[in-house]
Amino acid sequence: MVKLVDKIKDAATPWFSFEFFPPRTEEGVENLFDRQDRMASYGPMFCDITWGAGGTTAELTLDIAAKMQNMVCVETMMHLTCTNSTKEVLDEALAKVKQQGIQNILALRGDPPKGQDKFEAVEGGFSCALDLVKYIREKHGDYFGIAVAGYPEAHPDVITDDPEKMKEAYWNDIKYLKEKVDAGGDVIVTQLFYDVEVFLQFVKDCRATGIECPIIPGIMPIMTYGGFKRMTGFCKTRIPDELAAALEEIKDNDEAVKQFGIDNATKMCQRILDSGVVPGLHMYTLNMERSAVAILENLGMIKDKAPRTLPWRQPTSTHRKGEAVRPIHWSNRPKSYLKRTAEWDKYPQGRWGDARSPAYGTLSDYQFMRRHTSDDKRREKAKAAWGAAPQTLEDVIKVFVAYTTGKVEVMPWNELGGMHAESSAIAAQLQALNGAGYLTINSQPRVNAARSDDPHVGWGGPSGYVYQKAYVEFFCSPEAFKGLQARVSNHPSITYLAVSSKGDFHSNQASADANAVTWGVFPGKEVVQPTVVDKQSFLVWKDEAFQLWTSEWGSLYEEGSASAKLISGIADSWYLVSVVDNDFVEGDLFAVFDLPQQIERRRSGLRQLLTRPLNRSVTPCLATHANVQGSVISDGALQRWCPSVAQLRST
């Protein structure tokens, strides 16, 4: 958590930021968090969230702002308006954002309340942004960074067609802006504009008046013709003749309008940056990703994801300041981890230490346990990925194999979408592992002194080197686990943790200490070890991991159906296993699985099943779903249960 004005002072190059607004539906809010996650990965200076038209979404804004700061882990600025705000309402809002570690506020008068044409202060409230700024400084001193709005063409309420009156209104507006800055505003964010010369003159006039704080241009890309006309009409924005003419020619072609908007905004931004009068750009996204990101890509401000300071995105909240170590088990579900550890008094800053003292919180919030199945659209997407009606173990295995190839992008155990880029180095091994019945949900390759700027495994500061032990976490049947246990003794560098949903725990680790699986060496620093395998955390994670089988995957199917029973059967009887190869120089984690023999053993078992009576007590899943003719499995049943070996009858 840092005040925006201080971040701007420390920024070495032009930067960018994104603005969002509160969606109207629950589904829209969830989609917004997904989009924010992606856009935050580009490294914006900050993101802000509006208070909502007419002050109608105040509570939702507070909730979204808190999650942006503490779950999305991006520096957050929240809008506060005078609309429908008494001192009591404002005090409560500021107390909440302070509690959530938010330190940046954009103070605005706001639009008139819904149903009113003219702004009027409520009893006990505020009439203008200046009053708001003064009150915040009076009550909270220098704690908050306060941004205020600037209007390059003057506030819409005073814009007029009379040149003399317009000139007077413009300068009065700048005078009022200086009052807001003098009262405690330390950054100016401007209203949208489409004439760059108007903006540059505005900056020049502000400086001439004695305003010295950073002035950030608000950039709103043209996305649709109708939306552009409505917004510029509402804000009384000046539209250059050539821009208006070009838009008229393509107004009926939505795609052409959007591309024109990207190209036009790119030219505007380049002109502004070339002027040297601004430190960065503030993108009004309208909760859309494509246009804002395309503009920044055109400008060369983002080429790929921002460099990582740690393997996981660091929170921006003061409450978690200095946090530097996490268990690897939640690496694909970082929001879940943040939620479950939100009440900790302190966080590991150098070594994991004793993880048994702070208690992990429960995770009943459907937003975390039903991430991919919380609404109809997400359920449809999940069903398309995981199967409309899986009948056999082979159906489940196919989904996991497809995930490792990139054909399936969503899984219950992953909030992020797709495997980590670093796992592409072991994709072939993961495919074979899943094909053999070890259903993987987390992994990393071994790394021995890769440069810290490596695009796949790099993290930390410049001129460093990073290291990793090979790691894989998966579900497997009791039989497969028993075989794995027997083979581990022949691989002294391998350690493992394993547990069933009922708590049957096994391990070959002699010590209960955490096992560092990622570390880095950087100039002038101690060794940094940001991810560990930890027994106590693993035992907490196992409840969540097993529950996701049924709360996400199983919930797609009718209760009592063959598909629901198949998924719950896996959750009830299989093991969750975490395996580490501690030889990060020459180790081969996958050798312990003896994959060629495992695959052949699986095939041999199926050959026997083709010719012997079906034992329903030993193979309940197969017995339930096979089309049994007489006392052997039919071709149709075999094709459904294991299509990959259906051809074995002829071999």
Side-chain angles (χ1 to χ4, degrees):
M1 181 181 70
V2 182
K3 288 199 292 185
L4 179 56
V5 66
D6 294 329
K7 289 194 75 172
I8 292 173
K9 288 176 182 176
D10 294 337
T13 57
W15 47 264
F16 58 90
S17 55
F18 297 124
E19 178 170 298
F20 304 97
F21 65 84
R24 296 181 179 180
T25 66
E26 201 171 79
E27 179 185 346
V29 172
E30 291 193 27
N31 290 336
L32 177 62
F33 287 134
D34 288 345
R35 188 168 293 115
Q36 288 177 339
D37 248 340
R38 292 192 299 271
M39 297 178 77
S41 69
Y42 293 111
M45 169 77 75
F46 68 94
C47 292
D48 71 344
I49 182 76
T50 69
W51 195 243
T56 55
T57 60
E59 286 300 321
L60 181 57
T61 293
L62 284 165
D63 183 60
I64 292 175
K67 285 187 169 70
M68 287 169 63
Q69 184 82 17
N70 297 301
M71 298 291 179
V72 180
C73 298
V74 65
E75 195 68 61
T76 299
M77 179 166 73
M78 191 184 80
H79 292 208
L80 270 179
T81 75
C82 302
T83 308
N84 292 328
S85 292
T86 62
K87 290 182 179 179
E88 291 73 21
V89 169
L90 186 65
D91 286 341
E92 184 178 350
L94 290 171
K96 285 182 178 179
V97 296
K98 197 171 185 177
Q99 182 182 28
Q100 294 297 332
I102 297 170
Q103 199 172 359
N104 293 294
I105 298 294
L106 177 56
L108 303 160
R109 187 201 71 181
D111 301 324
K114 190 174 182 179
Q116 298 182 22
D117 295 328
K118 185 179 179 181
F119 182 90
E120 293 183 5
V122 296
E123 185 176 350
F126 304 89
S127 61
C128 62
L130 177 59
D131 291 345
L132 205 56
V133 174
K134 288 180 178 178
Y135 186 79
I136 295 172
R137 284 287 179 240
E138 176 188 337
K139 287 288 185 177
H140 297 275
D142 197 42
Y143 175 82
F144 286 107
I146 302 177
V148 295
Y151 298 88
E153 301 171 51
H155 193 282
D157 286 355
V158 300
I159 291 178
T160 175
D161 292 332
D162 186 309
E164 288 301 317
K165 290 182 178 180
M166 187 63 244
K167 182 178 180 180
E168 181 181 359
Y170 172 79
W171 282 104
N172 284 339
D173 212 53
I174 288 183
K175 180 182 177 182
Y176 175 65
L177 177 59
K178 188 173 189 306
E179 289 182 56
K180 290 192 289 185
V181 172
D182 291 344
D186 42 32
V187 175
I188 296 169
V189 181
T190 78
Q191 173 76 286
L192 65 100
F193 58 90
Y194 291 98
D195 189 330
V196 173
E197 300 310 315
V198 166
F199 169 77
L200 295 177
Q201 185 61 49
F202 169 73
V203 174
K204 184 177 179 180
D205 292 338
C206 285
R207 300 304 185 217
T209 311
I211 297 173
E212 298 180 355
C213 69
I215 300 175
I216 309 169
I219 306 297
M220 182 174 287
I222 301 168
M223 298 186 194
T224 66
Y225 179 79
F228 169 76
K229 296 294 285 185
R230 284 191 296 274
M231 186 60 72
T232 54
F234 177 76
C235 296
K236 300 181 182 178
T237 308
R238 186 181 310 173
I239 304 172
D241 292 340
E242 61 273 20
L243 188 154
L247 267 181
E248 282 298 317
E249 291 182 5
I250 58 172
K251 65 180 181 180
D252 296 323
N253 185 331
D254 291 344
E255 188 58 33
V257 169
K258 184 168 288 187
Q259 187 57 51
F260 174 83
I262 292 170
D263 295 340
N264 180 73
T266 300
K267 293 174 184 175
M268 287 176 57
C269 292
Q270 191 63 66
R271 171 80 176 90
I272 293 168
L273 292 174
D274 289 345
S275 72
V277 302
V278 300
L281 305 169
H282 186 56
M283 311 300 293
Y284 294 124
T285 69
L286 299 180
N287 288 2
M288 304 300 288
E289 182 176 356
R290 175 186 161 187
S291 293
V293 171
I295 292 162
L296 296 170
E297 286 176 336
N298 290 344
L299 295 167
M301 297 180 75
I302 54 175
K303 298 181 177 64
D304 204 341
K305 305 302 183 186
R308 303 183 298 174
T309 54
L310 288 171
W312 34 270
R313 191 182 299 162
Q314 284 185 293
T316 50
S317 169
T318 300
H319 183 50
R320 302 185 80 111
K321 186 177 181 180
E323 180 183 9
V325 189
R326 288 184 185 175
I328 195 172
H329 316 295
W330 281 273
S331 63
N332 286 326
R333 285 176 59 79
K335 290 187 178 64
S336 167
Y337 180 79
L338 289 166
K339 177 77 172 178
R340 300 193 70 162
T341 59
E343 302 302 320
W344 286 9
D345 293 329
K346 58 182 180 179
Y347 298 89
Q349 298 190 1
R351 297 291 182 268
W352 178 249
D354 185 0
R356 287 167 290 185
S357 53
Y360 285 90
T362 58
L363 198 63
S364 58
D365 193 334
Y366 82 93
Q367 191 173 14
F368 298 97
M369 295 308 293
R370 297 284 304 279
R371 181 170 180 79
H372 300 300
T373 56
S374 56
D375 58 59
D376 289 342
K377 286 186 178 179
R378 288 173 183 245
R379 288 173 67 85
E380 287 176 15
K381 185 177 180 181
K383 263 194 175 183
W386 308 338
Q391 299 294 301
T392 68
L393 176 59
E394 187 75 11
D395 293 335
V396 175
I397 288 174
K398 277 184 174 181
V399 174
F400 279 85
V401 172
Y403 179 66
T404 63
T405 64
K407 293 180 180 178
V408 166
E409 294 184 349
V410 295
M411 289 295 275
W413 302 272
N414 194 329
E415 297 172 343
L416 307 173
M419 290 196 306
H420 286 295
E422 63 184 307
S423 289
S424 61
I426 52 174
Q429 294 94 319
L430 292 173
Q431 290 165 29
L433 198 59
N434 281 279
Y438 302 91
L439 308 183
T440 63
I441 60 173
N442 198 356
S443 61
Q444 69 177 32
R446 68 176 175 88
V447 174
N448 183 21
R451 292 184 63 87
S452 58
D453 58 0
D454 182 274
H456 296 300
V457 300
W459 55 271
S463 305
Y465 291 90
V466 297
Y467 302 79
Q468 292 181 174
K469 296 175 183 177
Y471 170 82
V472 66
E473 188 175 305
F474 54 87
F475 296 99
C476 70
S477 68
E479 295 77 15
F481 173 58
K482 186 176 180 181
L484 179 65
Q485 274 186 303
R487 293 189 300 276
V488 163
S489 60
N490 297 321
H491 297 266
S493 66
I494 299 290
T495 53
Y496 73 87
L497 305 172
V499 66
S500 70
S501 61
K502 297 175 177 61
D504 181 29
F505 177 75
H506 300 266
S507 176
N508 68 340
Q509 281 190 207
S511 169
D513 293 341
N515 183 2
V517 291
T518 307
W519 64 99
V521 180
F522 304 94
K525 293 183 179 180
E526 292 184 354
V527 174
V528 182
Q529 53 173 57
T531 55
V532 299
V533 168
D534 170 64
K535 174 186 173 181
Q536 299 301 324
S537 300
F538 177 71
L539 293 176
V540 173
W541 159 245
K542 69 96 175 171
D543 291 331
E544 183 176 333
F546 279 112
Q547 187 182 341
L548 285 165
W549 275 107
T550 52
S551 67
E552 283 271 61
W553 200 330
S555 70
L556 293 174
Y557 314 116
E558 186 177 348
E559 186 176 354
S561 67
S563 297
K565 288 180 178 178
L566 172 65
I567 299 303
S568 64
I570 295 172
D572 288 343
S573 62
W574 283 34
Y575 280 80
L576 175 68
V577 187
S578 163
V579 179
V580 178
D581 186 349
N582 294 280
D583 183 353
F584 61 91
V585 179
E586 298 179 336
D588 181 4
L589 171 66
F590 296 95
V592 73
F593 295 97
D594 202 12
L595 290 176
Q597 290 192 32
Q598 288 293 300
I599 294 170
E600 180 55 35
R601 191 173 294 117
R602 188 168 170 227
R603 288 175 175 171
S604 298
L606 287 165
R607 283 193 185 97
Q608 295 176 32
L609 284 172
L610 297 178
T611 57
R612 75 182 185 191
L614 185 65
N615 185 336
R616 294 173 183 266
S617 64
V618 175
T619 55
C621 176
L622 185 56
T624 301
H625 304 297
N627 175 18
V628 180
Q629 296 181 342
S631 61
V632 298
I633 305 173
S634 70
D635 287 335
L638 178 64
Q639 182 65 38
R640 289 196 303 276
W641 188 68
C642 191
S644 62
V645 295
Q647 59 192 19
L648 286 175
R649 288 192 184 277
S650 61
T651 64

